[in-house]
């Protein structure tokens, strides 16, 4: 999400992370909960999560956009994160690219919050960030994530499916990733 922006949807407010213990606590949960992290190769310790939190804040400062906290509109409670950010943490044939992604606490799963946030962010990427292309990828067996990506109108590109280079070989079931993209006419 663009530096300084706040995006309001019907039920969510997407805002930048604030460097406070409350935001850091939720961010840690989103990176360490075994249910949330089921399709990721590792859960982060508190120190690793705090370092990643600092990196997320720095990403927005460096690139002008990045990951944001997703808050319930009626309470302000942070229930996840979503955003559009440059893929700068591994190399692949489809790069350079900007990735859309999200992660929410299980208490709000199945209520359409990820789709609501992602649809607003895809519009934001096209209209406010003037991006030409946004990509998304997910573990091949993560059917719910793929369904969410399709719901926001992204197109699957089987020719660009890949084995994620950051997933260890001993976790072979998490290596294969499906690939989606949205191309915006200029």
């Amino acid at each position: 999400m663009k530096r300084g922006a706040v995006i309001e949807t019907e039920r969510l407010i997407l805002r930048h992370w604030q460097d406070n213990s409350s935001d850091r606590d939720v961010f840690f949960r989103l990176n360490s909960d075994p249910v949330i992290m089921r399709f990721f190769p590792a859960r982060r310790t508190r120190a690793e999560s705090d370092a990643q939190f600092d990196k997320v804040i720095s990403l927005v400062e460096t690139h002008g956009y990045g990951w944001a906290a997703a808050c319930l509109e009626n309470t302000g409670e942070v229930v996840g994160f979503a955003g559009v950010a440059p893929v700068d943490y591994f190399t692949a044939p489809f790069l350079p690219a900007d990735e859309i992604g999200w992660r929410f606490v299980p208490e709000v799963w199945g209520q359409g919050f990820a789709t609501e946030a992602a649809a607003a962010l895809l519009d934001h990427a096209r209209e406010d960030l003037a991006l030409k292309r946004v990509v998304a990828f997910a573990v091949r067996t993560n059917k719910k994530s793929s369904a969410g990506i399709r719901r926001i109108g992204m197109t699957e590109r089987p020719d660009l499916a890949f084995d994620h280079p950051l997933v260890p070989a001993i976790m072979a079931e998490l290596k294969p990733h499906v690939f989606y993209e949205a191309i915006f006419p200029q």
Side-chain angles (χ1 to χ4, degrees):
M1 193 170 75
K2 188 175 185 176
R3 180 181 21 234
V6 173
I7 297 174
E8 294 185 30
T9 68
E10 182 180 335
R11 301 174 298 158
L12 293 171
I13 296 172
L14 304 177
R15 62 155 173 86
H16 290 287
W17 290 101
Q18 298 168 3
D19 194 0
N20 60 45
S21 61
S22 177
D23 276 13
R24 282 182 181 272
D25 288 347
V26 174
F27 192 80
F28 172 59
R29 179 173 179 213
L30 291 165
N31 285 291
S32 65
D33 184 294
V35 174
I36 297 169
M37 297 298 287
R38 176 178 168 212
F39 290 102
F40 291 85
R43 295 178 300 189
R44 288 191 170 95
T45 65
R46 182 59 190 240
E48 292 166 337
S49 181
D50 282 347
Q52 186 65 31
F53 186 91
D54 295 337
K55 204 171 173 185
V56 164
I57 290 175
S58 174
L59 181 73
V60 174
E61 294 304 314
T62 302
H63 294 285
Y65 58 100
W67 306 106
C71 311
L72 295 176
E73 188 274 332
N74 60 344
T75 65
E77 176 188 4
V78 179
V79 293
F81 71 76
V84 175
V87 181
D88 63 357
Y89 54 98
F90 68 93
T91 59
F94 58 81
L95 297 176
D98 293 287
E99 165 192 14
I100 189 168
W102 53 85
R103 196 176 304 163
F104 284 81
V105 297
E107 295 85 345
V108 301
W109 288 359
Q111 298 178 46
F113 287 113
T115 302
E116 187 174 320
L121 284 163
L122 205 54
D123 289 342
H124 178 70
R126 180 182 61 249
E127 296 167 11
D128 300 321
L129 298 175
L131 298 178
K132 296 176 183 169
R133 174 179 178 241
V134 172
V135 305
F137 40 88
V139 173
R140 183 180 60 214
T141 57
N142 188 345
K143 302 300 183 191
K144 288 183 179 183
S145 187
S146 289
I149 296 167
R150 286 190 302 274
R151 267 194 301 279
I152 62 170
M154 296 185 76
T155 303
E156 185 172 2
R157 290 285 310 273
D159 58 311
L160 294 175
F162 67 104
D163 283 352
H164 203 297
L166 298 181
V167 176
I170 61 170
M171 300 179 139
E173 72 283 0
L174 298 179
K175 278 191 92 58
H177 277 61
V178 290
F179 183 90
Y180 297 82
E181 70 181 353
I183 298 175
F184 307 124
Q186 296 298 311

